[in-house]
């Protein structure tokens, strides 16, 4: 689809709407994924934790996608890594790329307060802790 192309330019929008994560999850236009942040171990063990797990809540079954990164990775680094892992599955490969070579039209959002993670900050700036 061309969703990224329709929302990915830098023109000022005439109107802006704000949605909650739960609203985006049920609106049929957006896909919402839960990522579990795992930090690289300090030893030399293999820390490949990129297998999907699942959890069930009263309302729905939610897939949790663990990713292994470093607390000093920038949000752009993490988005690039996620795009490498899931870009084809999430249909990101045909979207326009931004200056960091990341497909437009998707964001990383903090589960604690719903804020969009800024591309130029690091994970440790958001107090994202290893789970």
């Amino acid at each position: 689809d061309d969703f990224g192309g329709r929302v990915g330019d830098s023109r000022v929008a005439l109107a802006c709407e704000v949605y909650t994560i739960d609203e985006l999850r049920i609106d049929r236009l957006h896909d919402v994924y839960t990522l579990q942040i795992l930090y690289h171990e300090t030893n030399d063990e293999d820390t490949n934790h990129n297998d999907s797990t699942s959890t069930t809540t009263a309302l729905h079954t939610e897939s949790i996608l663990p990713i292994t990164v470093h607390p000093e990775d920038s949000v752009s680094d993490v988005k690039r890594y996620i795009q490498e892992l899931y870009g084809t599955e999430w249909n990101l490969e045909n979207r326009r790329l931004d200056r960091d070579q990341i497909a437009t039209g998707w964001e990383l959002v903090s589960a604690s307060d719903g804020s969009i993670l800024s591309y130029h900050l690091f994970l440790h700036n958001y107090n994202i802790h290893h789970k």
Side-chain angles (χ1 to χ4, degrees), residues 115-129:
S115 63
I116 295 174
L117 305 186
S118 183
Y119 69 93
H120 66 284
L121 294 177
F122 300 94
L123 292 180
H124 67 79
N125 293 117
Y126 290 100
N127 292 318
I128 296 174
H129 301 286

Side-chain angles (χ1 to χ4, degrees), residues 70-122:
H70 191 276
E72 304 239 348
D73 283 341
S74 71
V75 172
S76 283
D77 292 335
V78 174
K79 285 184 73 172
R80 201 174 295 104
Y81 179 58
I82 292 168
Q83 182 173 293
E84 181 182 313
L85 292 174
Y86 301 108
T88 301
E89 181 181 339
W90 295 354
N91 296 316
L92 300 176
E93 68 275 351
N94 293 323
R95 293 186 182 185
R96 198 174 73 221
L97 300 179
D98 66 13
R99 67 179 179 199
D100 292 324
Q101 300 304 300
I102 299 169
T104 58
W106 67 286
E107 299 295 342
L108 293 178
V109 178
S110 171
S112 62
D113 64 5
S115 63
I116 295 174
L117 305 186
S118 183
Y119 69 93
H120 66 284
L121 294 177
F122 300 94

Side-chain angles (χ1 to χ4, degrees), residues 26 28 38 40-41 44 57 60 68 71 77 111 114 120 124 131:
I26 62 171
R28 297 184 191 259
L38 303 168
H40 288 290
E41 301 294 325
D44 292 332
T57 66
H60 58 20
T68 304
D77 292 335
H120 66 284
H124 67 79
K131 295 265 182 173

Side-chain angles (χ1 to χ4, degrees), residues 22-34:
D22 288 332
E23 289 171 328
L24 293 174
R25 199 180 299 276
I26 62 171
D27 76 357
R28 297 184 191 259
L29 290 175
H30 300 90
D31 295 321
V32 177
Y33 301 95
T34 300

